[in-house]
Amino acid sequence: MQQTMVKLNDGNLIPQFGLGVYMVPAGSETETAVYDALKMGIRHIDTAHAYQNERSVGQAINRAISEGIVSREDVWVTSKLWPSEYGEGKTAVAIDKMLDRLNVGHIDLLLLHQQFGDYKGAWQDMEKAVQAGKVHSIGISNFESNNLEDLMAAATIKPAVLQVECHPYWQQTELKNRIADYGTVIESWYPLGHGATDLLNEPIFTQLGQKYGKSNAQIVLRWHIQIGNIVFPKTTNPQHMKDNFDIFDFSLSDAEMAEIAKLDGKKRYYNVSLDEQIKTLGNWAPED
């Protein structure tokens, strides 16, 4: 199936649709999900050190390569550093450990997972990893406070992506305006609002689903594609994975996109302040 690509501010092309493996257990469950995704044509896998399944992601990719399903150049691998790994020198070590866990040669996109800790020191090491060819693109996740501008001012290589909650109820219009001058693009977690029925059952999605012969979820994912977001809905169910990916054979009209735009600002599903995040997550560190 032909899918769309997004050109990042560093010139690299990222598959706009991928598979996320957040909260997918390491081992056979992650390996099978990633292998199934690659077999059906999905070429972007989003993981993180905090997910504790990077080794399983790498094993699935290497299996698919060994069977001739993909080449390494076909697959885009994203992973993320945890704040306990931030700091000049410290982050360099963490990147090498990540490369060892993944065992896929290089990291296509490396993100700072959270917006606290020594993120500027970490960014310096990430830039060096790009120069060394260990990492191809770098970006950030969950930077929505003034820390975003603080990092942008310090960065020589501007973040290629910003991964945040984004869906029709929370379209991140203001945040997109803040990053527009840097060429940074939005990657969406919770692209389906965490599967919330209130979002998915919006009448506009039901109406459009009936018109195009698609599910409400497929309409939402198609909206993401057309508005320029990068998405990677999580599922381990092969049929759901196939359905999520089946969104490249139709297009929503400008008028239909405008109707969906009217839903903006209705709700976000993750409401935790920066102080609460620091308190809850600051002392936690993923295993090597």
Side-chain angles (χ1 to χ4, degrees):
M1 181 178 295
Q2 184 65 38
Q3 61 175 305
T4 50
M5 309 288 283
V6 171
K7 189 174 184 178
L8 300 176
N9 61 7
D10 57 14
N12 291 324
L13 291 173
I14 182 173
Q16 195 175 3
F17 184 95
L19 173 72
V21 293
Y22 172 57
M23 293 187 71
V24 181
S28 61
E29 196 164 349
T30 291
E31 290 176 37
T32 300
V34 173
Y35 178 80
D36 287 345
L38 296 174
K39 198 170 181 180
M40 70 178 60
I42 294 171
R43 295 292 180 262
H44 179 179
I45 308 297
D46 180 275
T47 184
H49 189 190
Y51 301 171
Q52 300 288 279
N53 55 19
E54 289 171 307
R55 287 186 177 87
S56 302
V57 167
Q59 287 164 1
I61 292 170
N62 284 320
R63 176 187 170 191
I65 291 172
S66 70
E67 295 179 7
I69 295 170
V70 295
S71 67
R72 175 63 186 93
E73 292 70 28
D74 292 331
V75 185
W76 183 281
V77 180
T78 297
S79 197
K80 312 173 194 74
L81 293 161
W82 194 250
S84 59
E85 302 172 294
Y86 294 0
E88 191 173 5
K90 191 176 184 180
T91 297
V93 173
I95 292 171
D96 285 342
K97 289 182 177 180
M98 180 179 285
L99 286 163
D100 183 65
R101 288 192 300 271
L102 286 165
N103 191 31
V104 291
H106 67 271
I107 302 164
D108 294 280
L109 174 61
L110 180 63
L111 307 181
L112 295 174
H113 203 153
Q114 300 288 347
Q115 62 169 340
F116 51 86
D118 184 10
Y119 52 80
K120 288 193 283 189
W123 194 259
Q124 289 180 2
D125 277 4
M126 290 166 68
E127 291 184 336
K128 292 174 185 175
V130 171
Q131 294 163 1
K134 297 178 179 181
V135 175
H136 289 181
S137 295
I138 51 179
I140 50 182
S141 178
N142 300 310
F143 276 68
E144 296 187 55
S145 71
N146 292 337
N147 292 344
L148 171 60
E149 282 75 18
D150 185 48
L151 177 62
M152 288 293 190
T156 300
I157 301 174
K158 304 305 180 184
V161 307
L162 171 53
Q163 189 177 119
V164 290
E165 177 180 350
C166 183
H167 45 73
Y169 276 177
W170 199 255
Q171 299 179 25
Q172 294 286 11
T173 304
E174 180 183 350
L175 188 61
K176 287 182 177 182
N177 289 335
R178 288 169 64 189
I179 62 178
D181 288 345
Y182 307 106
T184 307
V185 297
I186 291 290
E187 290 193 328
S188 169
W189 53 260
Y190 283 4
L192 299 173
H194 205 38
T197 56
D198 55 346
L199 172 63
L200 291 178
N201 290 335
E202 277 286 342
I204 182 64
F205 301 136
T206 301
Q207 173 191 336
L208 294 174
Q210 292 171 348
K211 174 181 177 180
Y212 291 107
K214 298 291 183 179
S215 70
N216 291 30
Q218 287 171 315
I219 297 297
V220 174
L221 291 172
R222 182 66 205 180
W223 169 82
H224 277 288
I225 294 297
Q226 289 186 216
I227 209 166
N229 298 334
I230 298 165
V231 293
F232 32 85
K234 169 214 165 184
T235 181
T236 58
N237 183 305
Q239 187 57 54
H240 292 169
M241 200 181 296
K242 183 178 179 181
D243 291 342
N244 288 342
F245 193 38
D246 187 21
I247 57 172
F248 295 99
D249 59 352
F250 76 105
S251 295
L252 301 171
S253 70
D254 291 344
E256 290 162 351
M257 293 290 288
E259 284 299 307
I260 296 172
K262 294 177 182 178
L263 298 174
D264 191 15
K266 193 168 183 179
K267 180 188 292 188
R268 75 179 301 168
Y269 292 94
Y270 187 78
N271 290 292
V272 180
S273 70
L274 179 58
D275 287 343
E276 290 173 316
Q277 290 178 50
I278 293 171
K279 183 178 179 181
T280 303
L281 304 174
N283 293 325
W284 181 81
E287 299 174 358
D288 284 341

